[in-house]
Short mmCIF file of all heavy atoms in Angstrom, two decimals:
data_model
loop_
_atom_site.label_atom_id
_atom_site.label_comp_id
_atom_site.label_asym_id
_atom_site.label_seq_id
_atom_site.Cartn_x
_atom_site.Cartn_y
_atom_site.Cartn_z
N LEU A 174 -25.14 -28.43 -23.06
CA LEU A 174 -25.26 -27.31 -23.96
C LEU A 174 -24.48 -26.05 -23.61
O LEU A 174 -24.02 -25.39 -24.41
CB LEU A 174 -26.81 -27.06 -24.05
CG LEU A 174 -27.65 -28.06 -24.78
CD1 LEU A 174 -29.12 -27.68 -24.90
CD2 LEU A 174 -27.16 -28.31 -26.25
N LEU A 175 -24.52 -25.85 -22.21
CA LEU A 175 -23.67 -24.66 -21.81
C LEU A 175 -22.29 -24.88 -22.16
O LEU A 175 -21.50 -23.87 -22.63
CB LEU A 175 -23.85 -24.47 -20.33
CG LEU A 175 -25.04 -23.85 -19.78
CD1 LEU A 175 -25.10 -23.91 -18.28
CD2 LEU A 175 -25.18 -22.52 -20.12
N MET A 176 -21.77 -25.92 -22.09
CA MET A 176 -20.33 -26.42 -22.30
C MET A 176 -20.23 -26.41 -23.81
O MET A 176 -19.04 -25.97 -24.48
CB MET A 176 -19.94 -27.68 -21.75
CG MET A 176 -19.66 -27.76 -20.20
SD MET A 176 -19.36 -29.38 -19.65
CE MET A 176 -17.90 -29.83 -20.59
N PHE A 177 -21.10 -26.98 -24.57
CA PHE A 177 -21.03 -27.10 -26.05
C PHE A 177 -20.77 -25.77 -26.70
O PHE A 177 -20.05 -25.71 -27.74
CB PHE A 177 -22.24 -27.82 -26.62
CG PHE A 177 -22.02 -28.23 -28.11
CD1 PHE A 177 -21.42 -29.12 -28.53
CD2 PHE A 177 -22.91 -27.44 -28.92
CE1 PHE A 177 -21.21 -29.53 -29.80
CE2 PHE A 177 -22.74 -27.75 -30.36
CZ PHE A 177 -21.95 -28.68 -30.71
N SER A 178 -21.56 -24.68 -26.34
CA SER A 178 -21.41 -23.45 -27.06
C SER A 178 -20.00 -22.93 -26.96
O SER A 178 -19.51 -22.27 -27.92
CB SER A 178 -22.37 -22.53 -26.45
OG SER A 178 -22.22 -22.38 -25.07
N SER A 179 -19.20 -23.22 -25.89
CA SER A 179 -17.81 -22.61 -25.82
C SER A 179 -16.77 -23.65 -26.23
O SER A 179 -15.76 -23.37 -26.53
CB SER A 179 -17.55 -22.18 -24.33
OG SER A 179 -17.60 -23.35 -23.49
N MET A 180 -17.26 -24.99 -26.28
CA MET A 180 -16.19 -26.04 -26.71
C MET A 180 -16.47 -26.68 -28.04
O MET A 180 -15.75 -27.64 -28.52
CB MET A 180 -16.31 -27.21 -25.60
CG MET A 180 -15.90 -26.90 -24.27
SD MET A 180 -16.08 -28.22 -23.11
CE MET A 180 -15.04 -29.52 -23.78
N HIS A 181 -17.37 -26.16 -28.89
CA HIS A 181 -17.71 -26.68 -30.14
C HIS A 181 -16.46 -26.91 -31.10
O HIS A 181 -16.29 -28.00 -31.59
CB HIS A 181 -18.89 -25.86 -30.87
CG HIS A 181 -19.29 -26.43 -32.26
ND1 HIS A 181 -19.86 -27.68 -32.28
CD2 HIS A 181 -19.08 -25.92 -33.46
CE1 HIS A 181 -20.14 -27.94 -33.54
NE2 HIS A 181 -19.52 -26.90 -34.28
N ARG A 182 -15.69 -25.87 -31.22
CA ARG A 182 -14.57 -25.92 -32.13
C ARG A 182 -13.62 -27.05 -31.55
O ARG A 182 -12.88 -27.68 -32.39
CB ARG A 182 -13.90 -24.50 -32.18
CG ARG A 182 -14.69 -23.49 -33.03
CD ARG A 182 -13.81 -22.37 -33.27
NE ARG A 182 -14.51 -21.40 -34.16
CZ ARG A 182 -14.88 -20.16 -33.84
NH1 ARG A 182 -14.31 -19.65 -32.74
NH2 ARG A 182 -15.58 -19.44 -34.67
N TRP A 183 -13.31 -26.94 -30.23
CA TRP A 183 -12.31 -27.91 -29.69
C TRP A 183 -12.84 -29.38 -29.90
O TRP A 183 -12.12 -30.21 -30.29
CB TRP A 183 -12.23 -27.63 -28.21
CG TRP A 183 -11.26 -28.55 -27.55
CD1 TRP A 183 -9.91 -28.45 -27.51
CD2 TRP A 183 -11.69 -29.74 -26.80
NE1 TRP A 183 -9.46 -29.62 -26.76
CE2 TRP A 183 -10.52 -30.47 -26.47
CE3 TRP A 183 -12.81 -30.40 -26.57
CZ2 TRP A 183 -10.44 -31.56 -25.59
CZ3 TRP A 183 -12.82 -31.58 -25.88
CH2 TRP A 183 -11.65 -32.21 -25.41
N ILE A 184 -14.07 -29.62 -29.78
CA ILE A 184 -14.75 -30.87 -29.89
C ILE A 184 -14.59 -31.43 -31.42
O ILE A 184 -14.08 -32.51 -31.64
CB ILE A 184 -16.24 -30.92 -29.59
CG1 ILE A 184 -16.42 -30.90 -28.02
CG2 ILE A 184 -16.90 -32.21 -30.08
CD1 ILE A 184 -17.78 -30.64 -27.54
N GLU A 185 -14.80 -30.39 -32.34
CA GLU A 185 -14.64 -30.78 -33.75
C GLU A 185 -13.11 -31.17 -34.04
O GLU A 185 -12.78 -31.96 -34.77
CB GLU A 185 -15.12 -29.66 -34.72
CG GLU A 185 -16.57 -29.67 -34.68
CD GLU A 185 -17.42 -31.01 -35.04
OE1 GLU A 185 -16.89 -31.58 -35.95
OE2 GLU A 185 -18.19 -31.35 -34.24
N LYS A 186 -12.22 -30.32 -33.52
CA LYS A 186 -10.81 -30.56 -33.73
C LYS A 186 -10.38 -31.86 -33.08
O LYS A 186 -9.63 -32.77 -33.86
CB LYS A 186 -10.00 -29.38 -33.03
CG LYS A 186 -8.58 -29.50 -33.37
CD LYS A 186 -7.86 -28.41 -32.55
CE LYS A 186 -6.45 -28.40 -32.86
NZ LYS A 186 -5.71 -27.43 -31.99
N GLN A 187 -10.91 -32.35 -31.96
CA GLN A 187 -10.58 -33.59 -31.48
C GLN A 187 -11.14 -34.71 -32.02
O GLN A 187 -10.66 -35.79 -32.36
CB GLN A 187 -11.03 -33.59 -29.89
CG GLN A 187 -10.53 -32.53 -29.03
CD GLN A 187 -8.96 -32.65 -29.01
OE1 GLN A 187 -8.34 -33.69 -28.85
NE2 GLN A 187 -8.41 -31.49 -29.20
N ARG A 188 -12.44 -34.48 -32.62
CA ARG A 188 -12.99 -35.56 -33.52
C ARG A 188 -12.24 -35.86 -34.63
O ARG A 188 -11.99 -36.98 -35.05
CB ARG A 188 -14.47 -35.16 -33.91
CG ARG A 188 -15.38 -35.17 -32.80
CD ARG A 188 -16.89 -34.81 -33.27
NE ARG A 188 -17.41 -35.79 -34.08
CZ ARG A 188 -18.30 -35.45 -35.05
NH1 ARG A 188 -18.59 -34.25 -35.31
NH2 ARG A 188 -18.68 -36.43 -35.76
N LEU A 189 -11.70 -34.79 -35.39
CA LEU A 189 -10.87 -34.92 -36.62
C LEU A 189 -9.70 -35.66 -36.24
O LEU A 189 -9.20 -36.55 -37.10
CB LEU A 189 -10.62 -33.52 -37.28
CG LEU A 189 -11.79 -33.00 -37.96
CD1 LEU A 189 -11.38 -31.44 -38.35
CD2 LEU A 189 -12.25 -33.60 -39.14
#
Side-chain angles (χ1 to χ4, degrees):
L174 287 177
L175 284 171
M176 289 176 54
F177 183 77
S178 55
S179 62
M180 292 178 64
H181 180 67
R182 285 193 182 123
W183 178 84
I184 287 171
E185 287 307 311
K186 186 178 174 185
Q187 299 307 308
R188 285 179 74 214
L189 287 172

